[in-house]
Amino acid sequence: MKSQIDYAATPVTELFGCNCFSNAVMREWLPKATFKELLSVQAGERELSLSVADIVADAMKAWAIEKGATHYTHWFHPLTGLTAEKHESFIAPTGDGRVLMEFSGKELIKGEPDASSFPSGGLRATFEARGYTAWDATSPAFLKQDPTGTTLCIPTAFFSYYGHALDKKVPLLRSMDCLDRQAMRILRALGNVSAKRVITTVGPEQEYFLVDKAYFDERPDLMLTGRTVFGSMPAKGQEMEDHYYGAINERVAAYMRDLNYELWKVGVAAKTQHNEVAPNQFELAPIFSTTNVAVDSNQLVMETIKKVAQRHGMEALLHEKPFAGVNGSGKHNNWSMATDDGVNLLEPGENPESNARFLLFITAIVEAVDRYALLLRSSAAIAGNDHRLGANEAPPAIISVFFGEQLCAILDEIVDGKEHSAKGGHTIELGVTSLPRLPIDISDRNRTSPFAFTGNKFEFRMVGSSQSIATPNTYLNTAVAQVLSEFADALERADDKIAAIRDVIRVSYSRHRRVVFNGNGYSDEWVKEAERRLLPNVKATVDALPVLVQKESVELFERHKVMTRAEAESRYLIYLEKYSKQINIEAGVMVDMAKRIVFPAVASFAGSLARDASALAAIGASSAAAEKRAKRLAELSGEIYDETDRLERALLDAQEVDDDLAQAKAYRERVVPLMARLRAGVDAAEKLVERKAWPLPTYEELLFKL
Ligand code: ADP
Ligand code: MG
């Protein structure tokens, strides 16, 4: 399919945000006073009043109906990691057989979707099934428009009758608040009087694979789990690096054009697109925004990537590891902090004050990453990511921070009191003799670090491609807020601020620089070095999740009012259960495919080779080759049979385990290894069975044809 979009007729500037009830649109549709009041609600300066909500709802409805909407939905982020919607039409009967289109402030502010089937981890007893959604006025409403119709979507938070957060949005918003509070204390202590708020900004780079729909439909594993549970690599993989940044093929280019078109309409600023390292792997990056908006946008990006692919006869795979043997997909979570008056706090500035501030903030982040490494690691713990972190073909799961030589040298100098020799490049005078100079260009690159400083932001690269970015950012914000609060305690007390900054940096960095590593994070030496530094290397989801309910984490979350103990515990149980369910499905698909698709094909092809061999022998020809191959395949079919049997039994055993942690462990320790063994047999057989007789689309087709 070709893209039909004509940007000469409809310029991007007109198209962008046409389906988004943005502040620009609200300014047009709302009375001035209402708009102003809404802005102060967005800024957290006051609560939304019902009278304002009524006016906004009315404008929103008129705007949406003008664009063809018949329904609205509160759009929320349950703990499944996906988004949820329950559509309500605007109609209200007039009593005489006609209807009006109505939408009140009350309906805008609060919904009661029930939604009792979503996981709540015990936060909702069944007798108390009520769940509510509340409008997040800081994330714009938008229209979902497709050939089936138009729906007004209102970003909301989802919570229980007793106020427990049932979603990923509420803790995220709370974490943004706590980071704001603590960062503002630092700014005030440093004498900043102009900033009113500190926000966190996020730009997530999204990786995905595309496969042709015809092949996808022939693979139950792709259809049901989003990844191939079998499949052997063809002679060529990604080793030539000819796909990365390569020219985008026309079918994919047409797809990307339509994808951008859809995203731009709803106000998602899709900016960058390119071919990724693995064949048929791609990436999309938007322009960064406030964290909660970035979280909402990223959910829309994932949904739209999938939807538009189908229109183009393809399927998009968001799974972290759809194919063995080539790279998996991640989501690089670019993260920074900025003031409401536009200062990026992670950008080294042009004067001594801003440089001191910069060093202080990045030191706080290093400390936070070191102290809460396990929590950050757990924020990327999902079944799919177990293939990307610490597994066979994957980099280690050690959290470390990359700074580049120059920044490290500067921080080391503060700790060790040694003169640092600026390694090339210019330096900026800090003007304060007690603080060092700062080089102008500190944007060294390192592609192997899980937490890399990239000049004016950090890039957290462990996040999985299918994940909501809400949780990683919630933990990150909270961890950094905690360290900032301690720094603020020290700074607020001090008379000589510059000396205090220096002290704070020295004490903190000397304790936590062990987490800084500039070398090759994918190397074996790093694994050993990290062990010497006592840095944790948690390879599996089941081992990464328990930190969530450990004392230190719960205290952290409670202190900053991000999550209560009950909320943390509920998430722990939900994530464990989600892990078990996913492995259960993947293993189940494997068993089914092995029994009904692979085994019959292998056995039958072995049989046909055996018949060939006897036919050859009958005419006195050499039959040794056919015989050998038949025997080998018969052996493999036996292996496949036995391994399937073993896997099936392990699966039944795991299903019987009651305790959530024990069950997840059973899947990880007993089921997953057997999946690998079954796969080895099947992949070996695939290499020996005649191409036409192999019953599944191959990696060659899935990875190299589009
Ligand atoms: P690179 O990874 O090479 O630095 P970009 O500069 O294009 O690539 O940035 C990648 C992502 O980082 C984009 O989504 C971009 O919007 C985002 N980004 C840039 N600056 C910031 C910032 N200050 N805060 C959060 N994200 C940012
Ligand atoms: Mg990047």
Side-chain angles (χ1 to χ4, degrees):
M1 191 181 117
K2 288 246 163 4
S3 173
Q4 303 292 329
I5 306 156
D6 178 1
Y7 286 114
T10 316
V12 178
T13 45
E14 258 170 54
L15 177 83
F16 189 87
C18 69
N19 282 347
C20 176
F21 202 62
S22 61
N23 280 4
V25 175
M26 282 199 268
R27 190 182 299 119
E28 277 171 37
W29 283 78
L30 294 176
K32 234 186 183 146
T34 314
F35 180 63
K36 254 184 89 182
E37 202 169 323
L38 194 68
L39 286 183
S40 62
V41 170
Q42 287 177 346
E45 291 159 7
R46 65 163 87 183
E47 299 232 327
L48 184 68
S49 67
L50 196 56
S51 60
V52 167
D54 273 330
I55 302 172
V56 177
D58 218 46
M60 215 184 250
K61 178 192 74 181
W63 170 79
I65 288 175
E66 196 182 278
K67 290 184 169 284
T70 53
H71 289 68
Y72 73 91
T73 178
H74 278 199
W75 186 73
F76 57 103
H77 303 248
L79 291 166
T80 54
L82 306 170
T83 52
E85 37 194 86
K86 177 188 176 198
H87 297 195
E88 308 265 357
S89 73
F90 289 115
I91 62 166
T94 51
D96 58 356
R98 293 171 175 274
V99 293
L100 289 173
M101 296 295 258
E102 273 184 0
F103 184 49
S104 67
K106 231 163 92 187
E107 287 166 314
L108 166 65
I109 292 180
K110 195 167 169 191
E112 196 180 334
D114 177 21
S116 53
S117 292
F118 284 118
S120 80
L123 289 178
R124 288 168 89 178
T126 34
F127 61 84
E128 212 307 270
R130 262 180 293 181
Y132 298 94
T133 48
W135 183 34
D136 172 10
T138 56
S139 183
F142 58 91
L143 297 174
K144 265 196 197 174
Q145 212 165 38
D146 57 43
T148 70
T150 302
T151 303
L152 170 66
C153 296
I154 300 156
T156 53
F158 181 42
F159 55 93
S160 78
Y161 180 75
Y162 295 107
H164 295 302
L166 296 174
D167 69 352
K168 289 185 172 264
K169 192 74 172 281
V170 173
L172 177 77
L173 292 170
R174 292 174 184 160
S175 78
M176 291 166 66
D177 274 352
C178 81
L179 187 121
D180 168 31
R181 264 195 305 279
Q182 302 306 334
M184 279 309 297
R185 284 179 63 201
I186 300 274
L187 292 184
R188 289 284 183 265
L190 298 182
N192 178 319
V193 288
S194 58
K196 287 211 222 61
R197 261 184 335 137
V198 171
I199 53 162
T200 49
T201 51
V202 167
E205 301 163 53
Q206 175 74 47
E207 293 180 334
Y208 60 96
F209 281 86
L210 290 173
V211 297
D212 191 283
K213 175 109 172 74
Y215 299 133
F216 177 91
D217 286 345
E218 293 290 307
R219 301 256 343 190
D221 47 359
L222 282 180
M223 288 212 286
L224 299 176
T225 72
R227 85 174 178 99
T228 54
V229 295
F230 301 126
S232 72
M233 268 312 279
K236 178 179 166 171
Q238 64 186 38
E239 63 276 35
M240 301 298 279
E241 295 177 343
D242 48 359
H243 192 255
Y244 188 54
Y245 279 25
I248 298 171
N249 102 22
E250 230 172 79
R251 183 177 184 192
V252 176
Y255 161 76
M256 287 179 171
R257 276 184 207 289
D258 282 358
L259 176 59
N260 287 333
Y261 177 79
E262 294 298 337
L263 291 172
W264 288 343
K265 275 201 301 188
V266 290
V268 174
K271 170 85 172 164
T272 313
Q273 59 203 24
H274 62 81
N275 287 1
E276 255 303 329
V277 172
N280 283 356
Q281 190 188 28
F282 307 94
E283 180 183 298
L284 179 148
I287 294 172
F288 68 92
S289 51
T290 319
T291 309
N292 61 325
V293 175
V295 168
D296 286 353
S297 297
N298 183 248
Q299 295 289 350
L300 271 179
V301 164
M302 289 195 283
E303 193 181 308
T304 313
I305 280 176
K306 284 181 150 302
K307 199 153 83 177
V308 176
Q310 285 167 352
R311 263 188 243 157
H312 286 253
M314 300 186 286
E315 285 286 343
L317 309 177
L318 295 175
H319 192 285
E320 284 70 23
K321 189 75 172 175
F323 304 101
V326 293
N327 278 9
S329 298
K331 185 134 52 189
H332 294 175
N333 189 82
N334 292 273
W335 178 94
S336 189
M337 294 187 261
T339 62
D340 60 329
D341 49 1
V343 179
N344 181 350
L345 296 171
L346 301 188
E347 176 132 20
E350 276 149 21
N351 55 46
E353 290 75 31
S354 58
N355 284 330
R357 186 189 65 208
F358 164 75
L359 290 174
L360 191 68
F361 276 107
I362 60 168
T363 306
I365 293 166
V366 172
E367 178 168 339
V369 171
D370 188 30
R371 276 168 60 183
Y372 300 105
L374 286 172
L375 211 48
L376 290 177
R377 167 66 184 91
S378 87
S379 78
I382 55 167
N385 235 0
D386 276 4
H387 303 280
R388 272 183 78 233
L389 301 171
N392 249 341
E393 300 169 355
I398 307 159
I399 299 250
S400 64
V401 178
F402 168 82
F403 262 151
E405 303 284 331
Q406 290 185 311
L407 260 183
C408 280
I410 288 165
L411 289 163
D412 284 339
E413 189 199 334
I414 295 181
V415 171
D416 305 328
K418 270 188 266 146
E419 190 63 26
H420 108 268
S421 57
K423 288 193 179 115
H426 301 280
T427 59
I428 303 169
E429 265 305 336
L430 267 172
V432 192
T433 46
S434 60
L435 280 172
R437 295 151 167 239
L438 214 51
I440 288 173
D441 184 19
I442 45 176
S443 52
D444 274 9
R445 288 298 157 128
N446 177 317
R447 298 274 166 212
T448 63
S449 172
F451 203 90
F453 184 67
T454 52
N456 58 4
K457 61 187 186 290
F458 281 93
E459 189 167 325
F460 184 32
R461 301 201 179 110
M462 271 189 177
V463 185
S465 49
S466 72
Q467 276 189 274
S468 159
I469 54 170
T471 300
N473 286 299
T474 301
Y475 296 179
L476 186 55
N477 291 344
T478 314
V480 172
Q482 172 58 32
V483 179
L484 289 177
S485 76
E486 294 166 24
F487 282 16
D489 290 344
L491 291 177
E492 282 164 357
R493 280 195 304 265
D495 297 324
D496 181 347
K497 301 292 183 202
I498 292 291
I501 290 176
R502 206 190 161 91
D503 276 352
V504 165
I505 293 176
R506 200 188 59 240
V507 172
S508 165
Y509 197 68
S510 66
R511 266 191 216 144
H512 300 287
R513 68 178 156 185
R514 63 171 191 156
V515 78
V516 175
F517 177 65
N518 291 327
N520 178 5
Y522 292 1
S523 66
D524 294 336
E525 293 80 67
W526 170 229
V527 177
K528 290 190 204 108
E529 169 65 19
E531 240 173 74
R532 272 195 295 277
R533 296 188 190 186
L534 303 177
L535 298 176
N537 182 3
V538 185
K539 295 189 175 118
T541 292
V542 278
D543 300 320
L545 288 175
V547 68
L548 193 46
V549 289
Q550 276 163 16
K551 191 163 164 276
E552 210 198 348
S553 316
V554 172
E555 276 172 11
L556 173 76
F557 289 127
E558 290 200 320
R559 189 174 315 127
H560 295 282
K561 302 197 164 39
V562 169
M563 282 195 273
T564 60
R565 169 174 290 282
E567 285 167 343
E569 277 169 358
S570 71
R571 277 150 186 80
Y572 169 61
L573 294 179
I574 289 167
Y575 299 157
L576 282 175
E577 193 187 11
K578 190 177 167 202
Y579 172 84
S580 296
K581 279 183 182 164
Q582 187 167 338
I583 302 297
N584 189 55
I585 295 171
E586 289 185 5
V589 169
M590 255 187 145
V591 167
D592 195 51
M593 286 173 72
K595 278 188 185 166
R596 297 169 56 214
I597 301 177
V598 176
F599 176 82
V602 177
S604 149
F605 186 66
S608 85
L609 280 176
R611 284 189 296 278
D612 290 352
S614 38
L616 288 168
I619 59 163
S622 161
S623 60
E627 219 170 273
K628 265 196 242 165
R629 184 56 51 90
K631 278 186 182 154
R632 175 71 188 128
L633 278 168
E635 244 171 58
L636 280 171
S637 73
E639 253 173 56
I640 292 170
Y641 182 94
D642 292 342
E643 292 298 346
T644 307
D645 206 43
R646 262 183 222 130
L647 177 59
E648 196 170 19
R649 271 185 281 129
L651 198 53
L652 289 173
D653 286 346
Q655 286 162 356
E656 292 303 311
V657 180
D658 266 337
D659 174 75
D660 288 295
L661 179 62
Q663 184 174 53
K665 281 209 158 123
Y667 278 105
R668 165 74 185 179
E669 283 156 20
R670 297 211 289 279
V671 174
V672 168
L674 291 175
M675 290 169 75
R677 289 177 54 153
L678 174 55
R679 177 173 191 145
V682 170
D683 290 359
E686 184 187 344
K687 286 201 182 301
L688 298 178
V689 169
E690 185 190 5
R691 181 72 179 265
K692 278 183 286 184
W694 190 251
L696 293 166
T698 62
Y699 268 29
E700 211 168 291
E701 290 159 327
L702 294 167
L703 283 168
F704 292 94
K705 291 195 179 164
L706 264 188

